[in-house]
Amino acid sequence: MQIFPPTNGGDRGRGYQTLESPGPSEPFEQQPANSWKGVFSVSSYTQYFNVDTDLVLNRLLGSLHPIGGDFFTKIDANPDLYGLIWISTTLVFVLASLGNCATYLMQKNTDNTTTWSFNVSYVNVAAGSIYGYAAVVPLLFYFLLQYMGSNPSLIKFWCMWGYSLHFCSGFFSAGNTGSSFSAG
């Protein structure tokens, strides 16, 4: 990880330096993840984004065929939040775009002089809906299973749920939605 913003030598700063090799005059103090300071530290979350393209593609393909049970063995050793964040973000923008398209087509159907106008509030509605669904539902399952005496992993729930949203993103991008955002 690199320190931002970079400077080009001289007396203006130390430039790009990795977190592993701080300068001698400015020691880097990594916050422990088990304190409240660690919650606000980027380095606390790097372990949940330690994936590469091949691993993500493998997990995406595994999420499309969950019957074989292979997906859970793929995420068991290294659960990540990459799928939850980026697939949810993709869904937010797809839903907002399709909502705007649906609104435009409905208005164009009734009035031929309608011009395109992008309603940015659809992004807010889509973000609240998708991110809420992606975070809260696995959290509810986690607490339910803990109440029933099981010992689940919340990160694994979020990982599984995030990659399962890949199926929804394919469904939405096929154009089978937009009606929930068309009445704005």
Side-chain angles (χ1 to χ4, degrees), residues 4-139:
F4 190 78
T7 56
N8 294 329
D11 58 347
R12 295 181 297 179
R14 59 183 177 165
Y16 277 119
Q17 287 190 345
T18 62
L19 294 179
E20 290 81 21
S21 60
S25 62
E26 298 179 38
F28 177 74
E29 180 181 329
Q30 187 170 1
Q31 300 294 331
N34 56 358
S35 73
W36 276 107
K37 290 181 182 179
V39 172
F40 301 109
S41 173
V42 173
S43 62
S44 299
Y45 300 102
T46 55
Q47 64 181 337
Y48 301 121
F49 294 92
N50 188 18
V51 291
D52 60 359
T53 306
D54 294 333
L55 188 60
V56 170
L57 288 174
N58 194 5
R59 289 178 178 188
L60 286 172
L61 291 174
S63 71
L64 292 176
H65 191 313
I67 303 299
D70 189 35
F71 181 74
F72 299 108
T73 59
K74 291 177 183 177
I75 68 168
D76 196 31
N78 185 22
D80 66 280
L81 297 177
Y82 186 86
L84 181 74
I85 300 296
W86 291 111
I87 294 173
S88 297
T89 303
T90 301
L91 282 172
V92 165
F93 288 109
V94 167
L95 280 177
S97 299
L98 290 176
N100 277 295
C101 287
T103 301
Y104 171 73
L105 291 175
M106 286 177 47
Q107 290 174 353
K108 190 73 168 170
N109 191 26
T110 59
D111 182 14
N112 284 338
T113 61
T114 300
T115 59
W116 174 264
S117 65
F118 184 78
N119 188 352
V120 76
S121 69
Y122 289 165
V123 175
N124 297 334
V125 172
S129 301
I130 296 297
Y131 290 135
Y133 176 76
V136 172
V137 173
L139 196 62

